């Protein structure tokens, strides 16, 4: 949640926007870029912030951060801030401008979703998540093939990218007040592969996505999660030889335990684990 900070004046914010494209690429401390983003995000909580941004043609200023020669850290700040603008309660003018005279920004997001920089991949997912509930968002979701993009990012080597992919998955699986079944089918297909044929990365992806479903605020999404990966099928993952796989499996179990409707099934799983415990005692663990 954005917290208002009345000390951030419009003049100061305009200065930040004008200077952002010129931030030196020699800066070693990456946290400086994140502090700039936090400052910009705080400005959004001030009254009339979006109107100021529209009057300043802020998208054009931020577009200067998305050039081929731009520092990827600066590009990431610009894209995430634009995502926050779109998601603001009065952010419709920003989205309208992105869909008309500033479509290049949307193309940039689509073209850089598979960037070699983890921070850029994260930022593109962040923008997509913030824009996911806006009208006409399919004009950017379709070109990037959003399901395949989320699938790739669930398999990403970066923990932070995987976490953001799960947040995007959580948003996309329940839109327009109804379940989007194709997202569950995607994860279910991943989980259908024989356990012994799954790599550790594949197991972690399946479990991360499943935990997202079990933890969802919508009850019908949580109920659908049981069809994607029933809890009584979780045993092998909980005793996997890879510690990260075991951790992800525990995340699934924890998310399910927090759901009242799943308590009976969880108790069944705990009984199953007790029976399997002796069989797995001698399994190598790393």
């Amino acid at each position: 949640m954005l917290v208002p900070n009345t000390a951030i004046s419009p003049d100061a914010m305009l200065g930040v926007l004008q200077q952002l494209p010129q931030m030196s690429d020699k800066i070693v401390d990456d946290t400086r870029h994140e502090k700039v983003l936090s400052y910009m995000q705080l400005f959004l909580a001030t009254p009339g912030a979006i109107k100021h941004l529209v009057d300043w043609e802020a998208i054009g200023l931020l577009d200067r951060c998305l050039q081929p020669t731009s520092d990827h850290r600066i590009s990431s700040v610009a894209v995430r801030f634009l995502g926050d603008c779109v998601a603001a309660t009065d952010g419709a003018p920003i989205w309208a401008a992105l869909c008309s005279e500033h479509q290049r920004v949307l193309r940039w997001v689509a073209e850089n979703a598979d960037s070699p920089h983890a921070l850029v991949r994260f930022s593109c997912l962040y923008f997509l998540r913030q824009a996911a509930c806006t009208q006409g968002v399919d004009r950017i979701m379709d070109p990037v093939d959003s399901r395949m993009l989320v699938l790739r990012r669930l398999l990403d080597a970066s923990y932070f990218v995987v976490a953001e992919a799960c947040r995007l998955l959580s948003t996309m699986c329940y839109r327009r007040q109804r379940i989007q079944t194709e997202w569950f089918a995607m994860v279910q297909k991943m989980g259908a592969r024989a356990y012994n044929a799954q790599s550790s990365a594949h197991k972690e992806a399946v479990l991360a996505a499943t935990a997202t479903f079990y933890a969802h605020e919508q009850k019908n999404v949580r109920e659908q999660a049981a069809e994607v990966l029933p809890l009584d099928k979780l045993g092998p993952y909980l005793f996997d030889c890879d510690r990260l796989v075991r951790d992800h499996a525990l995340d699934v179990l924890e998310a399910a335990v927090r759901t009242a409707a799943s308590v009976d099934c969880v108790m069944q799983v705990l009984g199953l684990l007790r029976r399997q415990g002796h069989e797995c005692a001698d399994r190598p663990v790393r």
Side-chain angles (χ1 to χ4, degrees):
M1 178 180 296
L2 299 178
V3 180
N5 184 343
T6 55
I8 302 177
S9 69
D11 288 344
M13 180 62 183
L14 177 58
V16 171
L17 288 170
Q18 292 172 332
Q19 293 299 316
L20 182 62
Q22 303 172 38
M23 281 187 71
S24 173
D25 58 3
K26 305 299 182 184
I27 297 174
V28 177
D29 184 5
D30 294 341
T31 63
R32 291 182 63 179
H33 299 81
E34 297 304 311
K35 290 174 182 176
V36 170
L37 175 60
S38 295
Y39 184 93
M40 296 166 69
Q41 289 171 327
L42 286 173
F43 177 75
L44 283 180
T46 62
I50 294 295
K51 184 179 184 304
H52 282 301
L53 294 172
V54 172
D55 292 343
W56 297 334
E57 298 184 352
I59 300 179
L61 295 173
L62 293 168
D63 188 16
R64 292 165 53 195
C65 301
L66 305 178
Q67 304 304 312
T69 56
S70 296
D71 186 324
H72 72 276
R73 297 170 298 179
I74 296 173
S75 299
S76 298
V77 168
V79 166
R80 278 181 282 165
F81 180 67
L82 282 170
D84 290 325
C85 292
V86 168
T89 54
D90 55 348
I94 300 295
W95 179 247
L98 288 172
C99 293
S100 53
E101 62 263 35
H102 292 288
Q103 293 185 37
R104 200 191 79 82
V105 173
L106 301 184
R107 289 196 298 272
W108 189 94
V109 172
E111 292 168 0
N112 287 272
D114 290 310
S115 167
H117 300 290
L119 181 58
V120 175
R121 298 196 300 274
F122 169 86
S123 299
C124 290
L125 290 173
Y126 183 95
F127 179 91
L128 292 171
R129 176 170 61 86
Q130 295 292 62
C133 294
T134 57
Q135 187 173 6
V137 70
D138 291 339
R139 69 186 302 153
I140 183 173
M141 292 295 188
D142 290 344
V144 300
D145 192 347
S146 52
R147 288 193 295 279
M148 289 305 298
L149 172 63
V150 169
L151 177 58
R152 291 196 300 275
R153 295 291 76 84
L154 285 172
L155 294 164
D156 203 281
S158 166
Y159 169 83
F160 297 101
V161 173
V162 173
E164 187 59 35
C166 287
R167 286 189 282 269
L168 177 57
L169 175 63
S170 179
T171 299
M172 297 300 292
C173 73
Y174 188 86
R175 296 173 62 210
R176 304 183 181 99
Q177 301 302 309
R178 63 185 180 88
I179 282 181
Q180 306 296 313
T181 56
E182 64 272 18
W183 292 91
F184 295 92
M186 177 190 77
V187 179
Q188 190 168 21
K189 183 177 180 180
M190 292 176 65
R193 181 183 297 181
Y195 170 80
N196 291 333
Q198 297 178 26
S199 65
S200 289
H202 188 100
K203 294 172 186 175
E204 291 171 32
V206 170
L207 293 168
T210 303
T212 297
F213 293 146
Y214 273 112
H216 204 280
E217 61 182 10
Q218 294 292 332
K219 181 180 178 181
N220 48 356
V221 171
R222 298 195 300 268
E223 292 172 346
Q224 191 77 18
E227 298 184 18
V228 173
L229 181 63
L231 292 179
D232 58 4
K233 302 295 184 184
L234 196 60
Y237 297 97
L238 287 164
F239 288 100
D240 194 88
C241 61
D242 190 314
R243 178 183 60 81
L244 292 178
V245 173
R246 298 195 303 274
D247 287 347
H248 280 289
L250 286 172
D251 289 341
V252 174
L253 192 57
E254 179 183 1
V257 167
R258 292 177 182 274
T259 306
S262 300
V263 169
D264 290 341
C265 190
V266 171
M267 296 306 296
Q268 295 175 13
V269 173
L270 292 178
L272 173 65
L273 297 182
R274 283 195 295 270
R275 292 194 299 272
Q276 290 185 340
H278 294 296
E279 300 176 13
C280 299
D282 297 328
R283 186 173 298 177
V285 174
R286 64 173 183 269

